[in-house]
Amino acid sequence: MNGKPSSNTAGMPIRCRAAIVRKPGEPLVIEEVIVAPPKSREVRIKIICTSLCHSDVTFWKLEHPPAIFPRILGHEAVGVVESVGEDVHEVVEGDTVIPIFLPDCGECTDCLSNKSNLCSKLPFSVSPYMDRDKTSRFTDMNGETLYHFLFVSSFSEYTVVDIGHVTKIDPQTPPNRACLLSCGVSTGVGAAWKAANVEAGTTVAIFGLGAIGLAVAEGARLCGAKRIIGVDVNQDKFDLGKKFGVTDFINSRDCKDKTVSQVIMEMTGEGADYCFECVGMSSLVQEAYASCRKGWGKTVVLGVDQPGAKLTLSSFEVLHSGKSLTGSLFGGLKPKSDIPILVKRYMDKVTRIWVFRFLSLTSEVKLLLS
């Protein structure tokens, strides 16, 4: 992690291995690929550690646009800068960095405001190319273009990332911890911390106790939530959720003739102060919204639904209930300012336990992704 990469590859294509998905749902194939040198405002990164996010699984299976093949998936990672393109001043060769799917240019109105983490200079999309010139930096050994995924493509020994998607971190951060801050852990913890601003003593309901849902629970616990209700179809997730702060559990398959929102209303009297949808189903978004208390209840949508999915809400309820509904990419975090805060807290052992828990539960990976 601390060794500076050899500069004799700077400005030259690199031949390395990558895991490629050529057709939807088919096994990934390890192949040799060519990674072009970085262009202006880009960096080439040697990937040290990468993890699997459920979004990778979703797009591996997806058959229709924005699906595109062949593609190099992966977007939770940590690496070392191998070389930099022109006009890159934020990092140098040898820096330890986290590539993040959500851009943070540091220049536009959104990036300069504390009200938004949605960069307007480099708008987020599920693009198969680099941000600025809409081309790829990957080709296979036959010269065929290989498409990018979420501007990261970490299932490759080397990748090229726009500087707007790169956050420099403490090189002493354990790589198998740091890579989780690229998406899942940050999204969940950030949703409770930043997007919802969960207050001490409040009640939280989380729909879906996968990796992001568990991170929401830990974030809510750290914010001082008094009651954290987990909703899932897998009963085994209750015991797992307890380790992250979940105090109550609802198996949505055991609600009989009641909806989940009716059960939550009965449990709480008035509904949850904050609800988080972490699965990616419009029906669950509606249940989460219905589970919020009137007046100040807030529902935060984190799950990635199928393209074209629609919500149906009662206009009367929206007007008269006083509740709010909001989407939150990356948990509302600003990558270049908030991720170093999470890293520092981890390194200072303030919140070491919640990251350690994710890594120590390796036997639960299949459960988290189910």
Side-chain angles (χ1 to χ4, degrees), residues 25-82:
E26 290 191 356
L28 276 63
V29 182
I30 304 297
E31 298 183 21
E32 286 196 324
V33 301
I34 301 297
V35 184
K39 295 185 179 181
S40 176
R41 301 296 289 159
E42 297 175 358
V43 301
R44 190 161 57 188
I45 300 169
K46 180 179 181 180
I47 298 296
I48 301 300
C49 186
T50 186
S51 55
L52 178 68
C53 175
H54 200 273
S55 295
D56 297 307
V57 178
T58 298
F59 279 86
W60 166 59
K61 296 178 179 178
L62 197 63
E63 297 182 358
H64 305 291
I68 189 170
F69 302 94
R71 195 172 213 167
I72 299 177
L73 298 172
H75 64 284
E76 286 190 342
V78 64
V80 175
V81 175
E82 172 270 336

Side-chain angles (χ1 to χ4, degrees), residues 83-128:
S83 61
V84 302
E86 294 182 1
D87 301 316
V88 171
H89 311 292
E90 296 89 338
V91 297
V92 297
E93 293 178 13
D95 280 346
T96 300
V97 296
I98 293 178
I100 297 174
F101 71 91
L102 194 70
D104 185 352
C105 76
E107 301 171 355
C108 70
T109 301
D110 288 85
C111 289
L112 293 175
S113 169
N114 60 8
K115 298 178 181 179
S116 171
N117 70 339
L118 302 179
C119 180
S120 52
K121 186 173 182 179
L122 304 171
F124 172 77
S125 66
V126 189
S127 169

Side-chain angles (χ1 to χ4, degrees), residues 3 20 31 40 108 114 136 147 183 204 219 241 269 291 302 338 344 346:
I20 301 171
E31 298 183 21
S40 176
C108 70
N114 60 8
S136 174
Y147 297 105
C183 182
V204 169
S291 300
L302 301 172
D338 290 330
K344 186 177 187 305
Y346 168 76

Side-chain angles (χ1 to χ4, degrees), residues 176-221:
N176 61 348
R177 272 69 167 171
C179 66
L180 297 178
L181 296 176
S182 230
C183 182
V185 171
S186 295
T187 296
V189 173
W193 169 33
K194 283 294 184 80
N197 191 22
V198 169
E199 297 172 305
T202 55
T203 296
V204 169
I206 304 168
F207 290 72
L209 293 179
I212 290 179
L214 293 175
V216 171
E218 190 68 13
R221 185 188 67 80

Side-chain angles (χ1 to χ4, degrees), residues 271-291:
D273 299 292
Y274 304 96
C275 291
F276 299 85
E277 197 282 335
C278 305
V279 178
M281 291 177 60
S282 57
S283 60
L284 285 184
V285 174
Q286 290 166 199
E287 276 297 288
Y289 185 77
S291 300

Side-chain angles (χ1 to χ4, degrees), residues 225-246:
K226 182 179 180 180
R227 193 174 190 183
I228 302 174
I229 303 168
V231 181
D232 206 286
V233 297
N234 188 334
Q235 190 67 37
D236 294 337
K237 289 191 177 180
F238 186 27
D239 288 335
L240 181 61
K242 289 177 182 177
K243 300 176 182 179
F244 295 88
V246 175

